[in-house]
Each structure stands twice: as structure tokens, then as C-alpha cells.
Amino acid sequence: MKHWYKILSVILILYTLVWGLLNPVPRLDILNETIRNVYYHVPIWFAMLFMMGVSLVQSIQTLTKNKLDNDTKAYNAALVGFFFSLPGLTTGSIWAKFTWGTWWTFQDPKLNGVAISILIYLAYFILRFSVDDELKRARISAVYNVFAFVMMNVFIMILPRLTDSLHPGNGGNPAFSKYDMDSNMRMVFYPAVIGWVLFSYWLFEIKNRISFIKIKLND
Amino acid sequence: MIASLIKKELLLEFRQKSTIGGVIVYVIGTIFVSALCFKGKLDKPTWNALFWVITLFTSVTISGKSFLKETGGQALFNFLHYSPTQFIVAKILYNMVFMLLLSFITFFFYAFFIKNEVENLSLFFIVLILASTGLAAILSLMSAIASKASGNFAIMSILSFPVLMPLILVVIRISKQAVDGIEWAAVGFSFIGILVALNVLTITLSFLLFPYLWRD
């Protein structure tokens, strides 16, 4: 059964989509029913970070093993992760409009961090396009990817904890402590995280297969 | 070995008087344009932000060429004579001194043409030193990458700006305290700690990653 994770991801995502809208949630000021977005908005970011992590591992392997396969995989993982940042931004923006009253704010370090991460990965793609030689491209872009991943994590994991944020769980607190998630919500939130992470991995595998077929056709 | 590399860099820089002169004229020009645009109507946060934006742009422009001249025969010579670790350490050290000089020049002309808002000067100079170190570590590696990637100028800024942001934001925050003249007892030392940690992190990363860019 090598397809188990694909089936599991579909089941988990369907379950969270349906039960996320039906199950009871705590009544909180301002948040009200929008708290359900935590099932969609947050897991998508987890999926993106997971894919960026996969991209980092593949880039490190490119450097140590000097193989082109790993470079292709690193690129595909970054592409899938980048793809996930778009729905992450959209759901976040809509949520912000209904709770903070604005589509985008520069007051929040997490939002700035996301904008910077997107710029970093756009730079990574442009760097790849500007080098023609395959082996050279693999090494250069792997170096940038490793450096950029560390900087991105400094930005979105460490800096927000030092300043006040509109996001819950920041300003010195560990994440989630202020979400006021009760056991009902956890029943949906954790499956949603697992479901989206598995789904991103599935997309990554499909991208890899397409790339390797293309490479074979070109040879 | 490292000393001889730094000496070589210095000789190259000062033999070509156009480079060091060009840098000073570039800085003066930028500051003069800003001074005319703002006409002295700057409050403290704007003063602080503008200073670091000018420093950021100048250092990216200047260090972009740091590796550009190391191509062709020069690159082959370096490859045969030096080890990559010696080379990157020399580059970072040289760029560090150069950036520090540059930021002091920028500060001098900025204070001269616009005005000097800094009330805690010693804290401000500590920030300048730490910022120059961080900029040198990040920009040396980025310049090495950009020189391998067809070496056009735009790629240098595209690669550098996003990875410089964490450094610049922390720097601006401490520098704001210096501008506001906060006394030493009330200074947020956690931020200085973070800045030092960021410098150590970026220097280590450049040191570890540069050898992979070495071979062509």
C-alpha cells in the first residue's frame, strides 16, 4: 500500500472541511464564527513550511551528493510550498478583514515575515532562471536555498516572539496558548494539519514524476 | 595567507582611485538628494529609517562588485593559490572594514547635510559596527552567488534584500533607541544580543556554504 497517505490526506481534508463547519466552537469576542478559519488558514501554513523544509533537505543533499535529481526535487518542493503560500495569504487576508478590520497591516511581524518569505522564494526562482549550466545552477541555488531558509525562519519564528503581534500566541507566549482551542476544536485542527501536510507531499510527488518524465523525454 | 589576501584587496581598491572616490561621491549624492527632498522636515523615526535605507542601498551597490572582479583568469589564480575558507574569511573581514568605513562616512555626511538626531552616540556607533559586520557577512556570500549567476546587477539586489531584512529590522530597532537617547540602563540588551547572534549565524553560514561555490 504505497498510496495510503494519499487516501488518508483526502479523507482527513474532507472530514475537516465538513466537520470544521458543523462542530461547535467556543464563542469569543470579535472572532465569533471566524475562529473556524483556524482549520484552514493555519494548516496551509504548516504545509508550506513542511514543503520548504523538504526543499532544504533536498538542497543540502544536492550539495553533499552533487546529484541533479536532488536539485530537481528541491525546486519542486519550493514550487509546491510557494503554491501553498497563496491560499495561506488569501485565507489570512479575508480573516484579517473580518477580525482586525483590514486586508493587510504592517503592524504584524508575521505578515511581514510572510511577505519576505515570498520575496525570498521568488528570488530563488529568478536565480535558477538566470543560470543555464545545470550543475552550476544546482550548486548555486542550493547554497541560496539553505541560506534563505535559515533567514526565513529567523524572520517568522524568532522575530515575532520579540514584539507584539496581532496574532494569538505571540509576544513571548508559545504558540497556540491563547487560541482557546477546546477539545472539540483540537479534534478538527490536528487532523487538518496532518491532512494538508500529506496532501502537499502528494503534490510534490506528482511534480517530481512530471519533471523526471520531462528530463527523460529531453534526453 | 588571509592577511596577504586582505592586503591584495586593499591594494586593488586604492590603486583604482575611481572606486573609493566613486563610493564617497555616491554617498554624498544620495544624501544630498534626500536632503533636498525632505528639506530638513524629518522627525526622529523618519531620520532613523532614511539613514538605514541609504546605508542598505549603498552597501548592496558597493559590495555587489566584491566578487565580480574575481572572474576568468583571476578566479583560476585564486582557485589554485587559496583555500575557499581562507578566501571567504578574508573577503568578510575586508568587507567588514569597508562597510564600517562606509557607514561612518555615510553618518558624517548625513549628519552634515541633514542633521544629527542621535543622542546616545556610543550606542549608535556600536550599532554601526554590528550592522557592518552583519552586512559584510551576508553580502559577501550574496555577491559570490550573484557573480556566478551571469553577474548582472539586478540579481544582487533581488537576492540580498529579502535575506537582509531580519538584520535591518533589528538594527533599526536598536538604532531608534540610540536616536531617542535612551540611557544605558534602559537599553534593550536582548536586541543587541539578537544582533550579535544574527552576526554569528550569518558568518557561520557563509563560512560553511562558500566552499560549494568555490569550484566552477
Side-chain angles (χ1 to χ4, degrees), chain B residues 40-213:
Chain B
K41 291 191 192 68
L42 269 88
D43 50 1
K44 284 188 168 181
T46 323
W47 185 94
N48 188 30
L50 186 64
F51 176 77
W52 287 107
V53 168
I54 291 175
T55 314
L56 178 69
F57 273 75
T58 325
S59 46
V60 170
T61 314
I62 302 307
S63 63
K65 61 161 191 56
S66 157
F67 271 87
L68 284 188
K69 55 178 184 276
E70 318 280 356
T71 46
Q74 179 71 41
L76 188 64
F77 178 82
N78 292 337
F79 182 70
L80 293 174
H81 283 260
Y82 306 110
S83 80
T85 42
Q86 284 169 346
F87 200 73
I88 190 71
V89 168
K91 273 280 180 196
I92 291 178
L93 282 176
Y94 173 74
N95 273 341
M96 202 187 285
V97 175
F98 197 75
M99 293 286 159
L100 194 61
L101 193 70
L102 186 73
S103 55
F104 275 105
I105 293 173
T106 312
F107 177 63
F108 175 77
F109 284 109
Y110 195 66
F112 183 75
F113 278 123
I114 298 178
K115 61 187 158 183
N116 180 15
E117 291 270 19
V118 182
E119 287 176 24
N120 190 342
L121 263 179
S122 45
L123 177 63
F124 192 75
F125 285 145
I126 290 176
V127 178
L128 276 188
I129 292 168
L130 288 174
S132 311
T133 317
L135 281 170
I138 297 178
L139 290 175
S140 301
L141 187 72
M142 289 304 132
S143 163
I145 294 178
S147 74
K148 300 272 171 190
S150 71
N152 69 17
F153 165 69
I155 203 107
M156 179 66 194
S157 344
I158 292 171
L159 295 178
S160 314
F161 284 147
V163 289
L164 281 174
M165 274 336 273
L167 180 80
I168 288 298
L169 285 190
V170 178
V171 162
I172 281 191
R173 194 167 283 263
I174 313 173
S175 152
K176 178 75 175 29
Q177 293 181 334
V179 170
D180 286 340
I182 287 177
E183 283 169 26
W184 279 101
V187 168
F189 280 99
S190 65
F191 281 108
I192 297 183
I194 289 164
L195 195 51
V196 172
L198 255 177
N199 281 347
V200 172
L201 180 76
T202 46
I203 290 173
T204 321
L205 272 177
S206 302
F207 188 74
L208 288 177
L209 290 173
F210 183 73
Y212 294 105
L213 292 172

Side-chain angles (χ1 to χ4, degrees), chain A residues 33 36 47 60 67 69 80 92 109 117 123 126 128 136 138 157 186 203 207-208:
Chain A
E33 285 286 337
R36 291 181 199 278
I60 292 174
K67 270 206 222 148
D69 284 8
V80 174
S117 316
I126 288 171
R128 292 190 63 95
K136 200 174 168 187
M157 302 283 201
R186 289 204 183 89
L203 284 183
K207 279 294 294 178
N208 282 342

Side-chain angles (χ1 to χ4, degrees), chain A residues 139-140 144 151 162-163, chain B residues 148 159 173 194 202 212 215:
Chain A
R139 253 198 338 268
I140 294 172
Y144 187 71
M151 285 294 133
L162 302 170
T163 46
Chain B
K148 300 272 171 190
L159 295 178
R173 194 167 283 263
I194 289 164
T202 46
Y212 294 105
R215 215 171 3 160

Side-chain angles (χ1 to χ4, degrees), chain A residues 74-99:
Chain A
Y75 173 62
N76 285 336
L79 214 56
V80 174
F82 184 74
F83 171 75
F84 270 95
S85 73
L86 302 177
L89 263 189
T90 321
T91 50
S93 194
I94 295 170
W95 200 4
K97 179 67 188 164
F98 286 97
T99 49

